[in-house]
Amino acid sequence: SLQPSSPPKQCTKCSRLKPPRCHHCSLCGRCVLKMDHHCPWVNNCVGAGNYRYFCLFLLWLFLCCLFAIATMARVFLHLQSARWYRNGDVQ
């Protein structure tokens, strides 16, 4: 009941042997195993070899954005309260 394995395919663009579930990236010029997409932010393809690191990069980027928003909100609220005291709005 085992099916005979098919001969390995060859990539039409880079002329190398292409394993199953491998796609050629036109930007990188190479075949990437389990390629998800080419990310311009990291200038690399996201695939089987670096998917974990890409997800960690997104997590840290999200946390840094939250930190920046919280810091700016705190400074903005402090400046607003100082402006209210200066204008005499708060008693």
Side-chain angles (χ1 to χ4, degrees):
S1 72
L2 292 175
Q3 297 176 352
S5 62
S6 61
K9 295 180 181 180
Q10 190 173 9
C11 180
T12 59
K13 297 182 177 144
C14 65
S15 300
R16 293 186 180 180
L17 290 179
K18 187 172 153 181
R21 298 179 68 191
C22 187
H23 300 282
H24 186 85
C25 177
S26 60
L27 296 173
C28 292
R30 63 187 175 105
C31 289
V32 180
L33 185 63
K34 296 181 184 176
M35 180 177 159
D36 188 359
H37 68 283
H38 183 89
C39 180
W41 303 110
V42 295
N43 195 26
N44 202 359
C45 286
V46 178
N50 61 355
Y51 192 74
R52 175 179 176 235
Y53 301 109
F54 181 72
C55 289
L56 286 173
F57 167 72
L58 292 179
L59 174 69
W60 283 108
L61 183 65
F62 174 73
L63 292 175
C64 286
C65 288
L66 281 181
F67 177 76
I69 290 171
T71 303
M72 286 189 296
R74 183 175 176 211
V75 170
F76 178 74
L77 291 175
H78 177 72
L79 291 175
Q80 284 295 102
S81 65
R83 184 182 306 155
W84 288 331
Y85 282 118
R86 222 176 320 129
N87 292 338
D89 294 341
V90 177
Q91 298 171 356

